[in-house]
Amino acid sequence: MTDLKKGIQNHLLELQLEIDDIFAKGRDSVVSEVNIGQIYGGMRGVVALACNTSYVDPYSGLYIGEYTTDEFSNKLPEEIFFLLSTGKFPDKKSLLNFQSELNQRAQIPQYVWDVLRSLPKDTHPMTMLSLGILSMENESVFKKAYQKGMKKSDYWKYSLEDSMNILAKLPALAGGIYRIRFGDGHLIPHDPSLDWSGNLAHMLGVNDDKGFADLMRLYLVLHCDHEGGNVSAFTSRVVNSALSDLYYAVSAGLNGLAGPLHGLANQECLRFILEIHDKLGADPDEQVLRAYILDVLNSGHVIPGYGHAVLRVTDPRFTAFMNFGETNCATNPCFKIAKKLFSIVPDILMHYKEGKVANPWPNVDAMSGSLLNHYGVNEFDFYTVLFGVSRVMGFCAQNILAQGLGQPIIRPKSVTNKWVLERLRAKG
Ligand code: AMX
């Protein structure tokens, strides 16, 4: 058994003991009440899911396991997947074994490239990523084991196998999508001497600079997971809860990530910064920039990269990217504009609409595009693919743990307007 598998098994035992304790102490205790506004309002604020891979604290941001963003942001993505799924970082030997496993599984079947090359030239790269993974569904070891009647207690082990096979192929898949969609179509071979993010940087074929590989590492670490209720993670979990295998579930999660209110938002941020650059120049005066922001707001648009459904402070992932930018591309005009926006926008949003904006602070998207731009990745449509490659780690870890804990199919109850009206009438 690999160290990763052992680590997950131990983690599942710990989590199960905690759940037993929770149930013994108060299985029927109420932790959240649902009002009618929430039924019609995207279930915002309803506590209805348990997710042990990560947690977003409104005031201190993302935790993976017990670690804050500051504490995990210098790690490798492989270490992060270990942490997400076992609750612990791997030791050196376990990390090397895991990396070697990934290397052995990195080859993409030729039919995937045939599918992707047959699509219309202007197909969105997120469609290609989702479809690329879905096209490999026939390879699912979970599906095959299920058909042979595997035990429920073994589900997670086969989902781990599927996860490893999917994760291993993501750098080549994303790199290939980039080359087919934006390059000359020539694919760069996987290099087994490189780690997971190093291979992604290598197979994109955009930039050989070490800084770019460092950025890919940071990017893949920071976007890995954001608890269980966000659109993509929740979608992936719902689909997998029906025992659709991880190829289906990961593809479904990516389809959610492709939405402009979720993962696609990151491409809007760089577009916004480039517009400022075009209209106001590389180093806009603070008062002029302030007036520009107010114009954008008054014309009914949001400021991309600012605000968050859960966070109420500057996203620590934004800070990690800003620190990277200070070290690696402090003179880049987009980075400088992104920094200037950070010094102006929160104050404006705080007073906008009588303080209606719940969080005037920047989220992770406000900075990432400027850094990608610095290293020559200027195809906005590709940004969500990078986000997606990282987020698949969270989808996989969440689903493996949920299966290991024997969680049932997800099926909340919906009601009709008539039902709600009758309930209100009955209450008087
Ligand atoms: N600029 C202008 N107005 C904003 C705003 C922003 N950046 N963020 C929030 N508001 C407005 C909302 O539009 C809303 O106005 P309305 O009631 O007139 O419609 C009001 O403030 C209250 O909204 P909220 O409770 O603060 O935010 P929310 O939880 O409903 O939405 C989010 C959160 C992120 C969708 C929103 O802040 C937004 O649209 N931000 C800009 C886009 C963005 O950066 N998205 C990235 C999200 C992160 C991710 O998933 N990648």
Side-chain angles (χ1 to χ4, degrees), residues 44 262 265 297 302-303 305-309 353 356-358 363 365:
R44 200 65 63 79
H262 191 18
L297 289 171
V302 295
I303 307 300
Y306 285 77
H308 201 273
K353 288 188 178 172
K356 200 174 169 191
V357 180
N363 59 58
D365 296 335

Side-chain angles (χ1 to χ4, degrees), residues 44 223 226 230 257 260-266 268-269 297 301-310 312 315 317 345 349 352-353 356-361 363-366 387 391:
R44 200 65 63 79
H223 289 84
H226 224 225
N230 65 77
L257 194 71
L261 290 187
H262 191 18
L264 208 72
N266 65 1
E268 287 313 309
C269 294
L297 289 171
H301 294 102
V302 295
I303 307 300
Y306 285 77
H308 201 273
V310 179
R312 294 296 173 259
D315 189 336
R317 299 171 302 167
V345 173
L349 286 183
Y352 176 62
K353 288 188 178 172
K356 200 174 169 191
V357 180
N359 178 40
W361 303 104
N363 59 58
V364 65
D365 296 335
F387 190 159
R391 193 49 72 90

